[in-house]
Amino acid sequence: PLKKGPIDIGYRAAQRLQDNDNWMRIFEDQNSDVMTSERRAAYDYEEIFHSVYSTLGQTFGKFGVNLGVRAEFVGTHFDSRTTDHEFENDYNTIFPTMNLSYTRKPGQSARLLYSKRIMRPPVFYMNPVQLSLDPLNITVGNPDLRPSYMQNFSLDFSYTGSKGTIRVAP
């Protein structure tokens, strides 16, 4: 039934690798070769992403509709080389998008947009090893952290003339 719009279908795979090896060595004084304590925080982190997506667009006179959806399957592996513990934290997410537009006449349009977005935690937030020797300043990560999601809505109006474009968005 679609006569005026494209349909896109795709697949994407990606891998993110990160490693870290931190050593903290405390000596008796700045000229000493005698170490009084030592801490290490080392890890390897891997994230593998598989995404499938589809978008479709259609116009109905002065109205336009673009709809999309992305399904994301993510496998994570955190290997603490300091403690010999390994953590898996896999997750799956659906990301819908929508773009509705109305064109009053060429160069004058209004759009309503919606999208779901993701913010993945930085890897160092997941490291469960405490590196600090200061008992009043302790930082320990959580390997079970999950991503956070945002629901974004926006509305804008635009006018395009011979001297440029003006866009207003509350």
Side-chain angles (χ1 to χ4, degrees), residues 54-134:
S54 179
T55 60
L56 62 96
Q58 180 73 50
T59 57
F60 305 95
K62 294 182 176 190
F63 295 92
V65 177
N66 282 313
L67 301 173
V69 66
R70 180 177 92 236
E72 188 174 88
F73 311 96
V74 180
T76 69
H77 182 81
F78 185 98
D79 181 9
S80 173
R81 291 185 282 149
T82 307
T83 63
D84 291 329
H85 286 95
E86 296 184 21
F87 306 95
E88 305 285 336
N89 198 357
D90 303 343
Y91 55 93
N92 305 321
T93 310
I94 301 291
F95 297 94
T97 60
M98 175 191 71
N99 181 345
L100 304 175
S101 64
Y102 171 73
T103 303
R104 183 171 167 232
K105 59 183 182 177
Q108 296 180 8
S109 64
R111 293 187 313 161
L112 175 64
L113 302 121
Y114 165 77
S115 66
K116 179 179 178 180
R117 298 184 186 173
I118 187 170
M119 187 172 81
R120 294 175 175 83
V123 178
F124 59 87
Y125 284 4
M126 294 184 266
N127 188 4
V129 175
Q130 177 203 345
L131 186 58
S132 174
L133 296 174
D134 181 355

Side-chain angles (χ1 to χ4, degrees), residues 121-166:
V123 178
F124 59 87
Y125 284 4
M126 294 184 266
N127 188 4
V129 175
Q130 177 203 345
L131 186 58
S132 174
L133 296 174
D134 181 355
L136 300 176
N137 187 13
I138 295 175
T139 302
V140 178
N142 179 358
D144 294 321
L145 279 179
R146 308 287 284 178
S148 61
Y149 299 96
M150 291 137 305
Q151 311 292 328
N152 296 309
F153 293 90
S154 69
L155 176 66
D156 68 50
F157 305 93
S158 65
Y159 172 79
T160 302
S162 61
K163 302 202 188 278
T165 299
I166 296 175

